[in-house]
Amino acid sequence: MNPPLAADRLVAHRARPRREPFVLLAAGLVVLAWSAFHPHDYFTWFMEVAPIFIGVPILLATARRFPLTPLLYRLILAHAVILMVGGHYTYAEVPLGFWMQRAFGFARNHYDRIGHFAQGFVPAILAREILWRRGVVSGRGWLFFLVTCVCLAFSAFYELIEWWTAEATGSAATAFLGTQGDPWDTQWDMCFALVGALAAQLALGRGHDRQMNLI
């Protein structure tokens, strides 16, 4: 009796992810609609949510031939929500950041630190899944190292995008940069992305492995 029961559970586990991404997509579209309704300014909003407009079409186009794990789909939605909230208010004016500032005595609104932590945390699981499932690396040590490198490279490239945007648009990019007068903002951003990448692999690595083995 046990083998059929185990097989039924496996079938159920594989059936759920087929429906879940569409539920997550619908939830993301609802938050996106809220985010786009009277944001702080539409230039900043577009710049902050632009990764969503790039990433979602790619996910939809590759969903059949390379479906991702449920864990990764959920993390992508969480990251998208962080971006959409930051785009709506601007990172320097998100209410959660002001609450943290009052509660912990911070000198500034640190919501952008959450965003850059997620910028390392979520791409780490994405890079991990692609590198492992595509057979780019076979050793766990090399996987950990390369995923960390990918996340740091992505974070550095994003900082370059911010710089190029500031050079091209001048003061219009002030809210997008969100430095709040901190001369070390770029370094802090990359540091939090690094911490996020390391934390994701250490905290979620085993669970992520189990899900990848079921695909």
Side-chain angles (χ1 to χ4, degrees), residues 10 14 17 21 24 35 38 45 62 65 81-82 85 89-90 102 107 110 122 125 132 149 159 171 175-176 183 189:
L10 181 59
R14 288 178 173 175
L24 297 176
S35 176
H38 293 312
W45 176 83
T62 60
R65 65 178 182 272
V81 170
I82 291 172
V85 171
Y89 292 105
T90 78
R102 293 191 299 270
H110 279 310
V122 179
I125 301 302
W132 186 255
C149 290
E159 295 301 322
S171 60
F176 174 55
D189 290 348

Side-chain angles (χ1 to χ4, degrees), residues 9-33:
R9 288 177 177 172
L10 181 59
V11 170
H13 178 86
R14 288 178 173 175
R16 282 196 301 270
R18 295 178 183 175
R19 299 189 298 268
E20 184 175 334
F22 295 101
V23 175
L24 297 176
L25 177 61
L29 290 174
V30 171
V31 180
L32 181 64

Side-chain angles (χ1 to χ4, degrees), residues 63-183:
R64 287 187 178 274
R65 65 178 182 272
F66 195 80
L68 303 178
T69 56
L71 171 65
L72 184 50
Y73 279 127
R74 294 164 194 166
L75 288 175
I76 289 172
L77 174 61
H79 194 186
V81 170
I82 291 172
L83 294 175
M84 290 184 283
V85 171
H88 181 80
Y89 292 105
T90 78
Y91 277 79
E93 298 184 22
V94 172
L96 174 61
F98 287 130
W99 176 84
M100 293 166 56
Q101 185 177 2
R102 293 191 299 270
F104 301 105
F106 294 147
R108 68 196 287 275
N109 186 317
H110 279 310
Y111 183 81
D112 65 323
R113 305 296 191 227
I114 297 175
H116 285 279
F117 179 86
Q119 191 185 70
F121 196 95
V122 179
I125 301 302
L126 176 60
R128 193 176 191 273
E129 186 153 328
I130 294 173
L131 292 174
W132 186 255
R133 288 175 58 191
R134 288 298 187 185
V136 178
V137 291
S138 57
R140 296 294 180 179
W142 276 110
L143 180 64
F144 192 97
F145 174 73
L146 290 177
V147 166
T148 304
C149 290
V150 167
C151 293
L152 275 174
F154 179 76
S155 177
F157 183 66
Y158 197 83
E159 295 301 322
L160 289 175
I161 292 175
E162 290 186 347
W163 171 42
W164 295 334
T165 302
E167 288 289 334
T169 63
S171 60
T174 300
F176 174 55
L177 295 176
T179 60
Q180 301 180 66
D182 184 357

